[in-house]
Amino acid sequence: MCKVFKVSRSSFYRWYTAGPSKRALEHSLFTDLIKKEFYLSQRRYGSTRIAEQLKRKGHRISRCRVAKIMRANNWVSKHKRKFKATTDSNHSYPVCRNLLNRNFNPSRLNEAWVSDITYI
């Protein structure tokens, strides 16, 4: 196998017995910490806030590294939309008379017509 990959035997066995690198161990630690902070915030915090939280707790990590880890795990923050009023009841426009007066059972055909105005 060493001949196929053009690697010396000593390099292969050094890699095989070395175990995970310091950076790989740090990466898995940060992944766990970021996951914890992300779910504590009900998946609302992005990389900036999570990096700030981890810095407050004494961990040295940049926002870019948090963003990379979040991207690799498909963790995307949820944005809460602002409330937008869709109905303005306090207006001075003329209001049509209520001709139907909640009588939904007319006595003859073509006495009352209805329509759907949700597209307006």
Side-chain angles (χ1 to χ4, degrees), residues 112-120:
W113 289 21
V114 294
S115 177
D116 180 19
I117 60 165
T118 55
Y119 66 92
I120 297 177

Side-chain angles (χ1 to χ4, degrees), residues 13 15 19 21 26 33 37 59 67 75 79-80 85 87 99 110 115:
Y13 284 110
W15 167 81
S21 66
E26 196 176 67
L33 291 171
E37 288 296 325
H59 300 285
W75 294 330
H79 300 283
K80 192 170 185 179
T87 305
L99 299 174
N110 288 332
S115 177

Side-chain angles (χ1 to χ4, degrees), residues 63-74:
R63 185 200 62 80
C64 294
R65 190 166 181 190
V66 172
K68 276 183 192 175
I69 293 172
M70 287 180 71
R71 211 176 304 121
N73 291 291
N74 294 323

Side-chain angles (χ1 to χ4, degrees), residues 7 19 23 31 36 40 46 49-50 58 63 81 90 105 112 115:
V7 177
R23 184 160 179 91
T31 302
K36 181 181 172 193
L40 277 175
R49 281 185 173 175
I50 290 176
R63 185 200 62 80
R81 293 180 183 252
N90 301 323
N105 298 318
S115 177

Side-chain angles (χ1 to χ4, degrees), residues 4-118:
V4 173
F5 291 115
K6 296 179 182 172
V7 177
S8 66
R9 283 185 184 180
S10 60
S11 296
F12 169 75
Y13 284 110
R14 188 173 359 116
W15 167 81
Y16 185 72
T17 59
S21 66
K22 181 183 173 189
R23 184 160 179 91
L25 292 172
E26 196 176 67
H27 183 81
S28 65
L29 169 74
F30 282 140
T31 302
D32 294 339
L33 291 171
I34 291 169
K35 181 178 182 179
K36 181 181 172 193
E37 288 296 325
F38 185 66
Y39 285 104
L40 277 175
S41 69
Q42 281 96 32
R43 303 184 328 187
R44 297 220 187 275
Y45 282 7
S47 60
T48 307
R49 281 185 173 175
I50 290 176
E52 287 175 11
Q53 291 285 54
L54 292 177
K55 283 178 186 175
R56 283 188 197 131
K57 292 182 179 181
H59 300 285
R60 290 186 53 179
I61 188 167
S62 68
R63 185 200 62 80
C64 294
R65 190 166 181 190
V66 172
K68 276 183 192 175
I69 293 172
M70 287 180 71
R71 211 176 304 121
N73 291 291
N74 294 323
W75 294 330
V76 182
S77 63
K78 292 190 289 187
H79 300 283
K80 192 170 185 179
R81 293 180 183 252
K82 291 184 179 180
F83 174 76
K84 182 178 180 183
T86 58
T87 305
D88 181 18
S89 301
N90 301 323
H91 56 76
S92 60
Y93 302 119
V95 179
C96 296
R97 292 182 299 132
N98 186 3
L99 299 174
L100 193 56
N101 201 19
R102 299 192 60 83
N103 179 14
F104 299 119
N105 298 318
S107 58
R108 61 182 201 270
L109 289 176
N110 288 332
E111 185 177 7
W113 289 21
V114 294
S115 177
D116 180 19
I117 60 165
T118 55

